[in-house]
Amino acid sequence: MSVQEYEDRPVAIPSELNLSSLSGKSVLITGGASGLGLAYAQAFVKAGAFVTIVDFNPQAGASAEADLAPNAMFVQCDVRKWEDLVAAFEKAVEASPRHSVDVVISNAGTIGADDIYTLDDPAGPPVKPNLRTVDVNLYGTIYTAKLAMHYFRRQPVDTDHDRCLIIKGSIAAYADQPGSPQYNISKWGARGLFRNLRRTSHRENIRVNFVAPWYVRTPILSAKIIDYLEGKGVKFATVDDCARAMLNIASDPSIHGRSLGIVPREEAPQGYVDLEHDDYQDGDFMKDWQKTVLATAQSIVDLA
Ligand SMILES: NC(=O)c1ccc[n+]([C@@H]2O[C@H](COP(=O)([O-])OP(=O)(O)OC[C@H]3O[C@@H](n4cnc5c(N)ncnc54)[C@H](O)[C@@H]3O)[C@@H](O)[C@H]2O)c1
């Protein structure tokens, strides 16, 4: 496996996936005990991989482990805690068939009341906001990415192993989402991390990709919210298509630096597409500016 420098070439979505390369691989999924993360765990186990489910919900984690044993293991962990996450990676290496971590999916995420949006009584003192959503979705993703790169570099570059980091975003990484600044910030930030790492990680044979679902029916959206969206005529992407996009990236070593958007079937027959919103088009002045930054940015770091 040799990862090529990132080039602007959209992924052609295949109608059939060849999952044979996933057999025996070690996959670590944060937020893997519920919703999309659980669906990824189930899909990778079905494809013959060993999965470490990293989640802070002990009941859901234990239940997922019981369903998927012996090919999955639950490790309780809060992704906001570096030491917890280090311990989870260590356990994944210890328990997996080839003592490795080949695919890391940074998926843990949350949404909720947002103190940045909720303004306080202007006559009273300013109230320090609770930044939990940014802590989980963005800081947790940064920790997960840093550890993925560390553990990937410990294992050989051969066909038995991979070095594949998939960062979980959302369409909220591309669209303005009024009322939820922290969710918006955290997903744009995760997308920034993906766009940054894709430019250098290939030197270590590390693939970095991004997966950005549209609305999907999972526990992160309450029944009330789902009813409201349905009432507005919003179509939903599916859990199965999210899982298939993950399998697609993990099983194809040529995919690097791309963002797949998971969309309603009404929008795309396979349920996901290469979003093609992370490279500047001809005629956009940012295209030249990006070229200049690519040619100079690392030298600036060395000069500093
Ligand atoms: N469902 C959607 O519409 C949708 C759309 C776009 C993106 N996403 C993203 O997909 C990811 C998964 O969401 P989901 O829809 O499956 O929701 P979910 O609530 O079913 O799953 C989230 C999981 O993350 C875990 N988690 C939360 N905080 C954690 C922490 N600090 N440490 C460890 N684990 C933690 C939860 O326990 C849960 O198991 C999230 O990043 C979410 O933002 C979801």
Side-chain angles (χ1 to χ4, degrees):
M1 181 197 79
S2 173
V3 178
Q4 300 305 305
E5 184 158 357
Y6 170 67
E7 279 178 51
D8 175 11
R9 267 185 287 114
V11 174
I13 309 301
S15 49
E16 293 287 323
L17 297 180
N18 178 354
L19 303 181
S20 56
S21 65
L22 297 179
S23 179
K25 292 265 167 66
S26 167
V27 182
L28 183 149
I29 305 171
T30 68
S34 164
L36 296 173
L38 178 59
Y40 306 153
Q42 291 163 338
F44 277 96
V45 165
K46 200 169 164 204
F50 178 84
V51 175
T52 302
I53 294 168
V54 176
D55 203 292
F56 76 169
N57 181 333
Q59 291 81 26
S63 150
E65 180 180 89
D67 284 348
L68 298 173
N71 298 315
M73 167 182 72
F74 167 58
V75 181
Q76 189 178 2
C77 163
D78 184 333
V79 294
R80 290 169 293 181
K81 296 190 179 147
W82 171 258
E83 292 74 17
D84 280 19
L85 212 41
V86 172
F89 273 78
E90 285 291 333
K91 285 183 184 156
V93 170
E94 193 186 316
S96 56
R98 296 173 192 148
H99 302 297
S100 61
V101 182
D102 303 296
V103 178
V104 171
I105 302 181
S106 178
N107 164 77
T110 189
I111 193 163
D114 193 325
D115 290 355
I116 300 181
Y117 172 67
T118 315
L119 300 176
D120 306 311
D121 176 1
V127 179
K128 185 179 174 185
N130 177 344
L131 299 182
R132 182 174 178 275
T133 300
V134 169
D135 283 346
V136 174
N137 299 4
L138 184 54
Y139 281 45
T141 295
I142 295 168
Y143 284 169
T144 304
K146 174 85 181 162
L147 285 170
M149 293 187 290
H150 180 83
Y151 283 87
F152 287 159
R153 293 172 66 237
R154 285 192 174 176
Q155 60 213 33
V157 177
D158 62 27
T159 50
D160 275 349
H161 296 90
D162 199 348
R163 296 177 173 197
C164 172
L165 169 64
I166 307 176
I167 296 178
K168 186 64 172 293
S170 162
I171 294 297
Y174 294 86
D176 302 349
Q177 196 176 358
S180 301
Q182 288 192 52
Y183 193 77
N184 227 171
I185 292 163
S186 64
K187 296 299 181 182
W188 279 75
R191 179 178 163 212
L193 180 65
F194 144 73
R195 281 182 56 165
N196 184 285
L197 295 178
R198 70 179 177 171
R199 300 291 183 175
T200 52
S201 68
H202 60 90
R203 293 178 202 151
E204 302 288 335
N205 283 298
I206 295 172
R207 305 194 281 130
V208 181
N209 292 289
F210 195 67
V211 167
W214 176 246
Y215 292 114
V216 188
R217 290 181 186 85
T218 71
I220 209 170
L221 300 177
S222 66
K224 202 168 150 192
I225 291 174
I226 290 175
D227 283 351
Y228 170 79
L229 290 170
E230 284 175 344
K232 290 282 175 191
V234 172
K235 304 282 184 228
F236 286 75
T238 74
V239 172
D240 285 351
D241 289 336
C242 292
R244 197 160 173 279
M246 289 292 177
L247 292 172
N248 192 160
I249 293 171
S251 62
D252 182 346
S254 72
I255 302 179
H256 169 56
R258 304 306 306 171
S259 169
L260 299 186
I262 321 303
V263 297
R265 284 279 173 143
E266 290 82 351
E267 301 289 339
Q270 314 242 32
Y272 60 102
V273 291
D274 188 313
L275 275 178
E276 295 191 72
H277 271 69
D278 289 293
D279 296 291
Y280 301 108
Q281 305 302 313
D282 288 341
D284 183 339
F285 73 95
M286 276 304 299
K287 187 162 187 163
D288 284 341
W289 285 24
Q290 174 67 86
K291 258 191 215 157
T292 304
V293 173
L294 285 176
T296 55
Q298 274 186 278
S299 304
I300 294 175
V301 173
D302 294 340
L303 289 172

